[in-house]
């Protein structure tokens, strides 16, 4: 079997090719901005040139004189827009959601929208809008004198929830071996291939929005609130998403502005924002800082774990990922203490970016684990084994935990036993070789979903749910699951996603889509089977081929359609009603009775040139356990992509911030470093069989976000092994390795 399609093992589905593969490679797949609308006006955004202050004057004369310009929206035109409160779950995501100023609270805030007969005219006019500002000195990031610190106590509610067990300070003071280290991760920005687009089309009082979205029901309801209209007047359509990773999960300011513009003009409006605007009109992964203190016995048992995090957020919004929730539970620590401090600065609001809590926090944890292993003179894998536990320090038990199976399989495939421990001891000519490893972990979330399934006498199946395939493979795995459950060939199944005209699905976030929609689908299919078996004189097995027609004939019906709602165990009874209102209730992970996580182990080889300090990653091996694997091809693809992003966050990605102006410097694909083919060599994914019937009815843990967790630590650990230099601030760049 091809490498891209690993042979399924126990509890794994076959690697059927992607349901939407052909449509995507032939250009048949219509992304939201591809949908043709009649005689659209084109929008171009004008964004703020300052980070903090006020617009005192806006001269539109030159812009209005550009031929083809139809309208220019400014602050006065957006007064009617209602303010939607920031909510980390499903609502508005951004600070300046209020409208177009005149107050400015971050660089690149939208301050005007130019509408014209052509994109070119709109763009030209946008550049001719002449703005006079009264600028104030902004706080750019950590350590700015006028940034505001919000202590965990102030944040209140969340502080209470952070894990704490035993007396960590006392355990640390009496530990035989201790480490105390600080780490930092940079801001990173979403650079999906598909830009942030919105097309708005009014037909009377009915509004249709074509916009790439990870949660169409959320967008629909939040937009209704912004516009002050009934949610039932809005339909959001987003069948394909060209990269999202969290950036398209929440409503951002542009949507209401474009809807408003279309209503004023009485004409559809199309916005395709630019690459640099994407840095400030949407969300991003904010920079973090960490201090980790650990105490251990000589035999490697960790008796104290203290993890403090600092996170950057916007001035008004308390966006926080608080991944101590996960780091503190990863091993059987003796006592734990955790703290998170939020730092508010004059920046656009951060938000979700693939594995938001665990990427920075597990990086810090897994770096510290490596430092402790060195201090103890232990093999890093054996340190993980010594602290592997089915219970965390607070006494919570894992539903299943295959961490050491992952370590053992990945270590064997990698050849870890050939490693010599001393840094700098493995060398190949001018290249210093380093081998490192780290744990990958992602919480298994639980979420509700509805679904509608129809079966015809010809055996055609239609699955409908307003869930989203953001490249993850949801179309494919739902088609597979429906075919299996109803006993029809795969090519008889049609799947429709991403449209609020369909039953509501969960946000395509938190790696929860397969589990939630799959569980609803299984329920609907069971109901269909039940109706089929109710047919008179039907005694043998499931439906198939001609027999199905007979069954329908005996039933005297033309088709069977079942609508099902799935609410996870322990979920609120109104979870589906809330979903209709655009509020997703995500549980699971560390928040339920048991700890539920997908886990993995990643091993990397780095090569650092002895003279130039050029850094290469010739190979990476990851082994992952995530409960039931629906499709080994799409699973491998997710995990491989995750590891590549992990390499990127270790060695390439960082948004550079001009501290004087609180402005992003490298807001383009030339300067924002990302790996290319030449940077990515051998990437091996091992799927480790695991069964967990507790997580959800289909037993799938979700793995869309698992692969890029831990990778950065595996790489910095390997860099240390190669060079003896410990990089505690990402990304690793060669200048940091020049003695
Ligand atoms: Mo993902 S960052 O949960 O969309």
């Amino acid at each position: 079997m091809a490498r891209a399609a690993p042979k399924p093992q126990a509890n794994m589905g076959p690697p059927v090719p992607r349901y939407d593969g052909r449509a995507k490679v032939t250009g048949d797949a219509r992304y939201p901005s591809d949908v043709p609308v009649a005689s659209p006006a084109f929008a171009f955004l004008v964004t703020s040139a300052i980070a903090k202050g006020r617009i005192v004057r806006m001269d539109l004369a030159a812009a209005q004189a550009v031929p083809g310009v139809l309208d220019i929206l400014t602050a006065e035109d957006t007064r009617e827009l209602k303010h939607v409160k920031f909510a980390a779950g499903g609502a508005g995501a951004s600070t300046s959601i209020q409208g177009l100023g005149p107050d400015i609270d971050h660089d690149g805030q939208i301050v005007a929208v130019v509408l014209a007969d052509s994109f070119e005219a709109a763009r030209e006019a946008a550049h001719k809008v002449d703005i006079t500002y009264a600028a104030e000195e902004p706080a750019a990031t950590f350590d700015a004198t006028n940034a505001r610190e919000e202590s965990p106590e102030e944040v209140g509610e969340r502080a209470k929830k952070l894990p704490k067990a035993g007396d960590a300070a006392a355990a640390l003071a009496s530990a035989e071996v201790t480490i105390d280290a600080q780490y930092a991760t940079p801001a990173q920005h979403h650079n999906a291939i598909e830009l942030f687009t919105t097309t708005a089309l009014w037909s009377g009082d009915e509004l249709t929005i074509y916009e790439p979205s990870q949660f169409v029901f959320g967008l629909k309801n939040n937009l209704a609130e912004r516009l002050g209209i009934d949610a039932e007047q809005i339909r959001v359509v987003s069948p394909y998403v060209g990269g999202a990773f969290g950036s398209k999960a929440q409503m951002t300011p542009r949507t209401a502005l474009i809807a408003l513009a279309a209503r004023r003009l009485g004409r559809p409006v199309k916005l395709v924002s630019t690459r640099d605007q994407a840095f400030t009109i949407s969300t991003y992964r904010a920079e973090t800082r960490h201090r980790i203190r650990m105490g251990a016995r000589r035999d490697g048992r960790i008796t104290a774990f203290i993890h403090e995090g600092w996170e950057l957020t916007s001035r008004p919004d308390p966006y926080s990922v608080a991944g101590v929730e996960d780091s503190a539970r990863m091993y059987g620590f003796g006592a734990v203490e955790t703290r998170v401090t939020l730092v508010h600065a004059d920046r656009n609001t951060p938000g979700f970016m693939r594995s938001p809590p665990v990427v920075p926090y597990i990086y810090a944890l897994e770096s510290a684990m490596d430092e402790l292993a060195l201090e103890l003179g232990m093999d890093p894998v054996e340190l993980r084994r010594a602290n592997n536990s089915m219970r965390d320090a607070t006494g919570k038990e894992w539903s299943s935990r295959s961490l050491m199976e992952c370590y053992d399989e990945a270590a064997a495939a990698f050849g870890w036993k050939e490693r010599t421990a001393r840094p700098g001891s493995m060398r190949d000519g001018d290249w210093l070789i380093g081998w490192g490893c780290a744990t990958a972990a992602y919480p298994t979330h639980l979420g509700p979903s509805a679904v509608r399934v129809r079966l015809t006498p010809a055996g055609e199946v239609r699955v409908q749910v307003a869930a989203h395939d953001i490249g993850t493979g949801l179309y494919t795995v739902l088609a597979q699951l429906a075919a299996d459950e109803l006993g029809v060939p795969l090519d008889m199944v049609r799947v429709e996603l991403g449209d609020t005209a369909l039953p509501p699905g969960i946000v395509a976030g938190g790696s929860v889509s397969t589990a939630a929609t799959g569980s609803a689908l299984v329920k609907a299919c069971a109901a269909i089977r039940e109706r089929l078996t109710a047919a008179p004189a039907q005694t043998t097995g499931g439906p198939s081929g001609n027999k199905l027609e007979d069954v329908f004939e005996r039933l005297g019906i033309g088709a069977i359609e079942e609508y099902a709602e799935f609410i996870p165990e322990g979920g609120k009874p109104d979870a589906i009603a809330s979903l209709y209102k655009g509020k997703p209730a995500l549980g699971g992970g560390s928040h339920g009775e048991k700890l539920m996580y997908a886990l993995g182990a990643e091993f990397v080889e780095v090569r650092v040139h002895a003279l130039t300090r050029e850094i290469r990653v010739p190979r990476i091996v990851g082994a992952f356990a995530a409960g039931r694997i629906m499709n080994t091809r799409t699973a491998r693809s997710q995990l491989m992509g995750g590891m590549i992003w992990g390499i990127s966050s270790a060695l390439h990605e960082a948004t550079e911030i001009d501290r004087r102006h609180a402005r992003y410097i490298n807001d383009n694909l030339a300067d924002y470093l990302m790996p290319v083919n030449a940077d990515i060599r051998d990437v091996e994914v091992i799927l480790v069989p695991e069964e967990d019937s507790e997580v959800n009815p289909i037993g799938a843990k979700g793995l869309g976000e698992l692969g890029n967790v831990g990778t950065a630590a595996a790489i910095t650990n390997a860099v240390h092994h190669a060079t003896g230099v410990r990089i505690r601030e990402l990304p690793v760049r060669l200048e940091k390795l020049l003695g």
Side-chain angles (χ1 to χ4, degrees):
M1 205 166 276
R3 197 175 174 205
K7 195 169 153 32
Q9 302 175 67
N11 205 26
M12 294 181 195
V16 306
R18 290 207 184 234
Y19 174 96
D20 47 341
R22 189 192 165 85
K24 283 187 173 172
V25 298
T26 56
D28 247 7
R30 273 197 180 153
Y31 291 81
S33 66
D34 298 334
V35 176
V37 289
S39 180
F42 294 86
F44 200 96
L45 304 176
V46 179
T47 56
S48 163
I50 63 164
K52 190 180 184 184
R54 223 170 177 283
I55 296 170
V56 291
R57 205 176 64 91
M58 209 184 256
D59 185 348
L60 302 179
Q64 278 157 339
V66 172
V69 167
L70 301 165
D71 194 6
I72 300 175
L73 267 67
T74 62
E76 299 86 76
D77 304 314
T78 56
R79 301 256 179 265
E80 64 185 274
L81 294 178
K82 311 275 181 297
H83 178 84
V84 173
K85 247 185 88 183
F86 170 85
S94 197
T95 61
S96 46
I97 202 146
Q98 296 87 318
L100 296 170
D103 293 325
I104 304 295
D105 73 3
H106 65 268
D107 179 67
Q109 173 182 323
I110 306 170
V111 293
V113 182
V114 178
L115 299 140
D117 277 326
S118 71
F119 172 79
E120 290 74 15
R123 181 177 55 187
E124 186 187 344
H127 288 119
K128 288 184 170 166
V129 172
D130 184 15
I131 306 174
T132 310
Y133 300 96
E136 293 166 44
E137 196 192 332
T141 179
F142 293 132
D143 304 328
T145 48
N146 45 353
R148 183 172 73 85
E149 268 208 10
E150 185 183 8
S151 71
E153 292 76 19
E154 273 180 89
V155 181
E157 175 72 305
R158 195 182 60 248
K160 272 182 244 144
K161 281 192 279 175
L162 296 182
K164 181 167 172 40
D167 187 343
L172 185 71
S174 63
E176 291 172 352
V177 178
T178 59
I179 62 146
D180 181 347
Q182 295 184 38
Y183 305 96
T185 65
Q188 297 181 340
H189 272 79
H190 287 284
N191 275 288
I193 295 172
E194 182 191 36
L195 292 162
F196 295 104
T197 76
T198 301
T199 301
L201 170 66
W202 288 88
S203 168
D205 285 343
E206 308 279 308
L207 170 64
T208 304
I209 297 285
Y210 300 96
E211 177 175 313
S213 170
Q214 293 169 259
F215 191 33
V216 287
F217 267 87
L219 186 53
K220 162 186 158 127
N221 282 276
N222 287 311
L223 180 60
E225 201 181 327
R226 282 279 278 150
L227 296 174
I229 63 175
D230 187 7
E232 288 322 298
Q233 290 168 244
I234 302 178
R235 178 178 171 201
V236 178
V237 185
S238 177
Y240 297 103
V241 182
F245 304 104
S247 67
K248 291 159 182 167
Q250 297 186 293
M251 181 175 70
T252 55
R254 75 182 191 276
T255 315
L257 297 171
I258 298 306
L260 192 65
R263 194 167 61 194
R264 280 162 62 102
L265 283 179
R267 190 170 162 182
V269 171
K270 202 166 200 161
L271 168 75
V272 177
S273 63
T274 63
R275 177 65 61 187
D276 62 312
Q277 288 171 346
F279 280 69
T280 61
I281 67 166
S282 185
T283 59
Y284 59 101
R285 194 195 300 284
E287 54 270 42
T288 68
R289 286 176 173 177
H290 306 260
R291 181 182 184 194
I292 291 186
R293 282 168 286 172
M294 285 206 268
R297 300 194 317 224
R298 273 269 153 234
D299 66 2
R301 282 302 305 272
I302 299 165
T303 51
F305 177 72
I306 304 174
H307 192 165
E308 295 167 89
W310 288 262
E311 300 176 18
L312 203 282
T313 187
S314 64
R315 194 61 81 168
D317 302 322
Y319 179 82
S320 161
V321 299
V324 291
E325 185 60 58
D326 309 295
S327 64
R329 304 180 189 281
M330 232 8 81
Y331 302 102
F333 298 127
V336 303
E337 194 182 311
T338 57
R339 254 176 91 85
V340 173
T341 303
L342 273 185
V343 177
H344 293 263
D346 301 304
R347 297 265 299 279
N348 50 321
T349 309
F352 309 133
M353 185 190 266
R354 204 176 194 176
S355 350
V358 273
V359 157
Y361 281 83
I362 297 291
Y363 153 70
L365 167 66
E366 291 298 303
S367 300
M369 289 295 282
D370 199 68
E371 300 208 38
L372 180 62
L374 268 164
E375 198 65 41
L376 288 162
M378 258 179 112
D379 181 277
V381 177
E382 296 316 307
L383 178 64
R384 269 80 171 188
R385 201 183 312 278
N387 292 283
N388 191 42
S389 170
M390 284 302 286
R391 273 181 202 284
D392 73 4
T394 71
K396 269 200 193 187
E397 201 188 337
W398 289 67
S399 66
S400 60
R401 179 181 166 97
S402 307
L403 181 66
M404 292 321 297
E405 288 82 348
C406 292
Y407 265 102
D408 291 341
E409 285 211 31
F414 186 84
W416 183 254
K417 64 178 194 310
E418 307 300 324
R419 181 182 188 260
T420 54
R422 191 172 52 79
S425 63
M426 292 171 72
R427 192 170 171 143
D428 176 11
D430 279 345
W431 292 92
L432 306 171
I433 297 177
W435 288 2
C437 63
T439 296
Y442 192 79
T444 300
H445 291 121
L446 310 173
S449 180
V451 70
R452 186 162 50 228
V453 182
R454 187 208 307 207
L455 175 70
T456 69
E460 298 151 336
V461 175
R462 182 188 287 199
V463 176
Q464 296 179 311
V465 52
H468 317 79
D469 188 329
I470 56 175
T472 43
L474 191 67
Y475 276 113
T476 313
V477 301
L478 291 183
Q480 275 181 282
L481 198 56
D484 273 1
E485 292 288 317
L486 295 173
V488 303
L490 191 62
D491 60 7
M492 296 296 274
V493 184
R494 202 166 117 192
V495 181
E496 293 170 27
L497 303 177
D499 186 336
T500 55
L502 308 175
I506 192 74
V507 57
S511 298
V512 75
S513 288
T514 299
T517 51
S519 295
L521 178 59
V522 163
K523 213 172 148 183
C525 291
I528 290 176
R529 285 199 310 268
E530 198 165 312
R531 285 182 61 185
L532 289 172
T533 53
Q538 161 74 6
T539 48
T540 51
S544 74
N546 284 333
K547 268 208 236 141
L548 193 58
E549 281 180 23
D550 301 340
V551 176
F552 272 92
E553 205 178 302
R554 288 199 298 277
L555 283 166
I557 54 175
I560 298 177
E561 198 164 89
E562 284 288 343
Y563 166 86
E565 296 185 344
F566 165 72
I567 298 176
E569 239 182 86
K572 293 209 176 89
D574 66 350
I576 298 289
S578 297
L579 211 47
Y580 273 97
K581 294 192 184 111
K583 293 183 181 23
L586 281 193
S590 61
H591 296 287
E593 218 146 88
K594 290 215 170 160
L595 297 172
M596 299 174 176
Y597 283 82
L599 293 169
E602 298 183 14
F603 288 71
V604 295
E605 174 173 322
V606 303
R607 289 179 169 234
V608 178
H609 196 274
L611 301 173
T612 66
R613 299 281 151 170
E614 177 184 346
I615 310 159
R616 312 298 303 177
V617 179
R619 63 196 183 102
I620 177 165
V621 177
F624 303 94
R628 177 172 170 192
I629 303 297
M630 310 304 288
N631 177 325
T632 56
R633 183 198 303 268
T634 54
R636 172 184 175 272
S637 165
Q638 285 300 294
L639 294 163
M640 178 181 64
M643 285 199 282
I644 291 169
W645 197 340
I647 295 171
S648 179
S649 50
L651 300 179
H652 303 269
E653 275 186 73
T655 305
E656 309 293 344
I657 301 164
D658 181 334
R659 293 190 64 103
R660 295 163 305 171
H661 303 294
R663 181 182 299 164
Y664 304 129
I665 298 168
N666 52 339
D667 59 352
N668 58 75
L669 285 180
D671 296 323
Y672 187 87
L673 298 187
M674 279 189 270
V676 296
N677 280 359
D679 296 302
I680 304 299
R681 302 291 295 276
D682 202 23
V683 180
E684 185 180 349
V685 174
I686 299 168
L687 300 169
V688 175
E690 181 183 66
E691 281 202 39
D692 188 330
S693 56
E694 290 185 69
V695 285
N696 50 61
I698 62 168
K701 282 186 173 177
L703 45 69
E705 291 167 272
L706 177 60
N708 61 324
V709 185
T711 320
I715 289 174
T716 51
N717 297 344
V719 166
H720 181 270
H721 183 234
T723 62
V725 180
R726 177 69 62 180
I727 305 293
R728 298 189 183 87
E729 189 172 349
L730 293 177
V732 184
R733 296 258 170 85
L734 63 79
E735 63 268 25
K736 293 179 184 169
L737 295 174
L738 293 168

